[in-house]
Amino acid sequence: MDPAALQGVPLFSELEPADRQRVARWADQIDVDTGHHLIRRDGFGYEFFVILEGTAEVMLGDVHLADMVAGDFFGEMALVSQPKRSASVRATSPMRLLVMGRPEFLSMQSQMPGIAEQIRARIAERSENTLT
């Protein structure tokens, strides 16, 4: 994937160019159509996603939890704190996404503490919002 695509993503915006190149080597870029289910609740998590373009909705059963836009990320909770997906995510427009497998995601977290801290903060926020 092109490291330049990561410059506008808040999660990666503070990285040095060499670190953005490393993230780009760890990740793939995919395109999906409107309506595509990216993750399903209670499924096992193997990937981490960052929205580069497009929109998605987060659902817990029939309950709409949130809308996501470019720059948002998801899938981290099943890779870090629990084995199964806590919600479903479906594309509400055509999307371009960065996708990273578990080994690459864990390497990124261990080698880039600033990103790891942002991901931990998001997990805490999402856990709190799910419980309230």
Side-chain angles (χ1 to χ4, degrees), residues 3-121:
L6 304 177
Q7 284 183 286
V9 176
L11 183 62
F12 305 121
S13 64
E14 300 296 318
L15 292 179
E16 295 294 326
D19 286 334
R20 269 198 297 275
Q21 287 179 342
R22 196 163 22 149
V23 169
R25 282 193 307 270
W26 287 331
D28 291 315
Q29 184 175 299
I30 64 167
D31 295 321
V32 299
D33 294 326
T34 302
H36 182 81
H37 285 268
L38 295 155
I39 61 176
R40 294 184 190 268
R41 182 174 183 227
D42 292 330
F44 287 98
Y46 302 103
E47 304 95 11
F48 169 69
F49 300 87
V50 179
I51 301 173
L52 301 174
E53 297 175 14
T55 58
E57 65 180 350
V58 182
M59 302 289 293
L60 186 58
D62 292 333
V63 178
H64 179 269
L65 295 179
D67 292 309
M68 292 191 294
V69 298
D72 288 335
F73 60 85
F74 58 96
E76 76 287 345
M77 290 176 71
L79 299 179
V80 172
S81 63
Q82 57 194 29
K84 291 190 176 182
R85 302 290 190 185
S86 59
S88 298
V89 177
R90 184 180 70 84
T92 54
S93 74
M95 298 181 76
R96 176 161 289 144
L97 299 132
L98 170 150
V99 181
M100 190 177 290
R102 179 186 299 270
E104 295 80 14
F105 174 81
L106 295 175
S107 291
M108 178 181 70
Q109 278 212 291
S110 68
Q111 295 176 33
M112 299 177 179
I115 288 178
E117 180 56 37
Q118 289 181 64
I119 290 170
R120 279 193 298 276

